[in-house]
Amino acid sequence: MFKGEVSRPIFSLLRFAAIVLIATGLSLTGCRSKAVSEIAPNEGYPSANNLMQPGADDGQWPMSAKDYANTRFSGLDQINASNVANLKVAWTFSTGVDRGQEAAPIVIGDTMYVVTPYPNQLYALDLKNNGAAKWHYDPAPDSASQGVACCDVVNRGAAFMNGKVFINTLDGYTCAVDAGTGQELWRTKLGDINKGETITMAPLAVKDKVYVGNSGGEFGVRGWIAALNANDGHVVWKAFNTGPDADVLIGPNFHPFYDMDKGKDLGVSTWTPDQWKLGGSNVWGFISYDPETNLIFHGTGNPGVWNPELRPGDNKWSNGIFARNADTGEAAWYYQFSPHDQFDHDGINENILLELPINGQPRKVVLRPDRNGYMYVLDRGNGQVLSATPYTFINSATGVELQTGRLQYAEDKLAATGKVVHDICPNASGAKDWEPSAYSPRTGLLYVPHENMCMDWEGLEANYIAGTPYIGVDAKFYAGPGGNMGFFTAWDPVHNSPAWRLAEKYPVWSGALATAGDIVFYGTMEGWFKAVDAKTGNLLWQFKTGSGIIGQPVTYRGPDGKQYVAILSGIGGWPGAIVAGGLDPDDQTAAAGWGKAMEDLPKDTTKGGTLYVFSLP
């Protein structure tokens, strides 16, 4: 534990299937840092500026992560530590959907775009008229997709580029909509729900392409990432994350740093025969982009099946990060965070692109709080691990060997078929699940919403049937050391240590937002929306919304010149499914292992689906 801290499966096949069906009814001394955050100009709208220049923010929020570097930092400072206590509700908007609201609203000019969980309704809201709806787009996704959504029917947001809004639908489509009229411009089918494929991630739009990945590792699908032509939606390239090199788009320009990631067709040879065809390794997290090198960076999810004894080997290319040529998809390098994943520690977390002083020299890096509990600083050019430091309590591993890059699992916590292994930390949702961090160049700190959870874990036999859960594990989750289930941590990536941290009763499942006003926003599962001092962590303001918050806060400059802050309130997601799905809190295995851990949540919040927008009086 850090000094000063406040102090049965994931499921059997049939139980998980039943659950799914129910669920559907401190400043750095002398150090300044830079982020890659240039965004290509958008026709007909103000261009987005380099957010790392204080005051240069154009006031828009064009994608879920705000910028290509995934910083979630805004240069707006009208709302600051001296006046944030005066924030009031400016207006609200009901999404009409009371499932997990994980999306980030996006803002272009005088319009806000909000996409809901299934049925993935897209709304254009008039910022000149207190959020009145300008138009509404209904993609009409297949209702059967709800039955193959692992962990709630969520959607993580839209993206804007060149007069188009891009969204993904739960049933496996990517859609382009005219930003001014709401007219559908094109619609491309990418996933097959009959196999268990869904799409929940927010697309990334760069130049003339839209990047999308699939979900479904719990159903034995095969993970991929695809690039679509932004003008007509045709697939430009598609890279799988298991299988032969040709499928993975690995060629002569692939140069991983570590020997463990080198070799021919590792996407086949590191699996038992044909298991790679059911190998998961999906791309359902956030994608970042470096315009200087023209590389995209994306994580890959857990391997299928979850029980590691049923899939001997490192199981490439699961639980890692790829750097790929944005134009061709060709892999440049790869690094595997958790070889032979033991605990469902998907590698899909955000990759923040920064320039940091490492050993006194500026270095272009990827900063990444991984699900396995380690904060990684990687060389952006080749994937070398410069540091890997625990940012939460870990007993499932003993460290990362920097010479080989390999995670060292703790022998006494290794999963075993037919044996319950107790007190594994972090649990299957990881030290941090999907919820995205925010980085401030003003403080040099990364603000990390995350979990403090442990679990009991038992391996089971599993059989693959297309379109049904493919798990092979039974689990029970509970709070980690100290008894609280969540933390919000400000992390110093240069000194590899926490600057400050706040304890929360439940996992902090919302994203974070940092601003030039030196405040940081995040939400709690009870429904509190909070603003804290970016340097000290002191609570400056909070507002109780109508439901638990698992969304991504954003800020923007309105047509009236005022700064606004927006957040979607609506409980759900994996730990919130006990409320959103009306599950029995006395069932320890309910909500895929959360069970009793979340038994108080139905007392602390209710279902909802409301957008809240705040401003100063």
Side-chain angles (χ1 to χ4, degrees):
M1 303 258 317
F2 294 121
K3 184 178 179 180
E5 275 189 8
V6 181
S7 304
R8 239 136 138 266
I10 262 208
F11 20 62
S12 67
L13 180 64
L14 293 178
R15 181 177 295 276
F16 178 66
I19 289 170
V20 168
L21 291 175
I22 293 172
T24 59
L26 302 155
S27 297
L28 304 181
T29 56
C31 294
R32 300 293 289 185
S33 51
K34 297 182 289 185
V36 179
S37 55
E38 293 81 9
I39 301 170
N42 294 308
E43 294 177 3
Y45 295 90
S47 63
N49 298 308
N50 188 330
L51 301 183
M52 297 304 100
Q53 298 173 0
D57 196 313
D58 70 359
Q60 302 182 108
W61 196 280
M63 63 188 78
S64 287
K66 178 62 162 77
D67 55 46
Y68 290 147
N70 279 218
T71 66
R72 291 177 172 81
F73 172 79
S74 168
L76 300 182
D77 61 2
Q78 186 182 103
I79 300 171
N80 54 57
S82 68
N83 61 25
V84 68
N86 298 320
L87 277 187
K88 303 292 183 184
V89 175
W91 52 271
T92 63
F93 176 80
S94 174
T95 67
V97 181
D98 61 1
R99 302 307 298 261
Q101 307 279 336
E102 291 188 351
I106 64 173
V107 176
I108 298 295
D110 62 2
T111 306
M112 176 183 288
Y113 302 92
V114 177
V115 60
T116 75
Y118 177 91
N120 306 134
Q121 309 290 295
L122 175 64
Y123 292 92
L125 307 180
D126 188 352
L127 300 181
K128 292 182 177 179
N129 190 21
N130 294 321
K134 289 184 172 183
W135 51 255
H136 165 225
Y137 168 68
D138 180 4
D142 190 330
S143 62
S145 61
Q146 299 172 89
V148 291
C150 156
C151 313
D152 202 2
V153 293
V154 298
N155 185 289
R156 299 189 175 93
F160 174 90
M161 185 173 68
N162 295 337
K164 302 180 183 69
V165 178
F166 306 95
I167 66 167
N168 293 318
T169 64
L170 191 66
D171 62 344
Y173 286 82
T174 298
C175 306
V177 177
D178 185 285
T181 67
Q183 178 183 357
E184 182 180 287
L185 301 174
W186 53 257
R187 176 186 179 94
T188 301
K189 182 178 181 180
L190 294 169
D192 182 354
I193 60 173
N194 294 314
K195 296 179 180 178
E197 280 186 300
T198 54
I199 301 180
T200 58
M201 55 92 75
L204 176 70
V206 177
K207 296 189 294 187
D208 61 348
K209 295 181 179 64
V210 181
Y211 302 92
V212 179
N214 67 342
S215 307
E218 289 66 48
F219 290 80
V221 308
R222 188 181 175 201
W224 48 259
I225 180 172
L228 308 181
N229 182 282
N231 293 318
D232 61 17
H234 78 266
V235 177
V236 179
W237 57 259
K238 185 176 185 178
F240 289 94
N241 297 317
T242 67
D245 287 351
D247 290 3
V248 187
L249 301 189
I250 288 176
N253 294 318
F254 181 60
H255 301 294
F257 186 83
Y258 294 104
D259 289 342
M260 68 174 181
D261 299 320
K262 297 176 182 177
K264 182 176 176 55
D265 293 330
L266 296 184
V268 174
S269 63
T270 59
W271 299 82
T272 50
D274 290 338
Q275 184 67 33
W276 58 268
K277 297 177 181 178
L278 313 175
S281 313
N282 306 95
V283 182
W284 56 275
F286 297 94
I287 304 171
S288 47
Y289 171 68
D290 183 351
E292 182 179 330
T293 60
N294 196 39
L295 294 176
I296 60 168
F297 302 85
H298 70 86
T300 59
N302 61 279
V305 59
W306 284 14
N307 183 347
E309 290 196 331
L310 304 183
R311 45 171 173 78
D314 276 1
N315 310 136
K316 306 293 186 189
W317 305 90
S318 66
N319 293 80
I321 175 177
F322 268 111
R324 295 185 181 274
N325 182 293
D327 294 332
T328 66
E330 184 180 14
W333 58 261
Y334 168 90
Y335 169 72
Q336 191 168 33
F337 298 101
S338 301
H340 188 54
D341 178 26
Q342 293 282 312
F343 309 115
D344 181 40
H345 285 167
D346 299 57
I348 56 83
N349 288 8
E350 69 277 7
N351 301 294
I352 302 110
L353 309 186
L354 304 174
E355 185 175 295
L356 295 176
I358 305 296
N359 298 323
Q361 298 296 319
R363 196 150 182 181
K364 295 177 180 178
V365 303
V366 175
L367 178 61
R368 176 193 175 94
D370 195 71
R371 198 155 157 172
N372 65 22
Y374 290 89
M375 182 71 70
Y376 288 84
V377 180
L378 300 145
D379 185 286
R380 201 189 311 162
N382 58 20
Q384 178 187 6
V385 178
L386 304 178
S387 63
T389 310
Y391 64 93
T392 193
F393 178 75
I394 304 172
N395 66 15
S396 57
T398 58
V400 177
E401 188 177 82
L402 295 186
Q403 184 175 357
T404 65
R406 197 168 188 89
L407 178 70
Q408 305 297 302
Y409 289 111
E411 291 293 329
D412 63 332
K413 300 300 182 183
L414 295 177
T417 303
K419 175 185 176 182
V420 178
V421 181
H422 296 277
D423 193 34
I424 298 171
C425 313
N427 71 338
S429 70
K432 190 183 81 64
D433 203 280
W434 77 278
E435 61 271 25
S437 309
Y439 176 81
S440 171
R442 292 175 54 84
T443 63
L445 299 178
L446 183 72
Y447 302 94
V448 188
H450 63 104
E451 288 87 83
N452 175 42
M453 301 289 295
C454 302
M455 67 178 178
D456 299 338
W457 186 260
E458 179 185 7
L460 304 171
E461 294 296 331
N463 295 307
Y464 174 75
I465 302 173
T468 65
Y470 185 50
I471 307 297
V473 165
D474 192 17
K476 180 177 70 175
F477 301 162
Y478 40 87
N484 59 295
M485 289 182 272
F487 281 117
F488 189 79
T489 298
W491 184 264
D492 179 341
V494 175
H495 298 100
N496 297 318
S497 62
W500 52 261
R501 70 188 319 169
L502 307 172
E504 295 288 354
K505 177 179 179 179
Y506 296 112
V508 184
W509 212 258
S510 89
L513 162 66
T515 76
D518 289 336
I519 42 184
V520 182
F521 293 89
Y522 73 97
T524 73
M525 296 192 74
E526 300 100 312
W528 287 104
F529 189 41
K530 299 186 177 186
V532 299
D533 189 294
K535 298 177 181 178
T536 67
N538 290 337
L539 179 65
L540 302 174
W541 170 87
Q542 61 180 346
F543 179 89
K544 186 66 161 63
T545 66
S547 183
I549 298 175
I550 61 169
Q552 304 168 58
V554 307
T555 189
Y556 65 92
R557 183 186 296 115
D560 57 1
K562 293 176 62 174
Q563 182 183 355
Y564 293 81
V565 181
I567 184 68
L568 279 163
S569 167
I571 197 64
W574 194 3
I578 196 167
V579 176
L583 306 181
D584 182 359
D586 291 326
D587 181 355
Q588 292 190 350
T589 62
W594 287 95
K596 290 285 285 183
M598 306 302 286
E599 65 178 340
D600 288 343
L601 189 60
K603 306 171 189 175
D604 291 336
T605 193
T606 57
K607 296 180 183 182
T610 301
L611 171 72
Y612 288 82
V613 179
F614 302 89
S615 68
L616 296 173

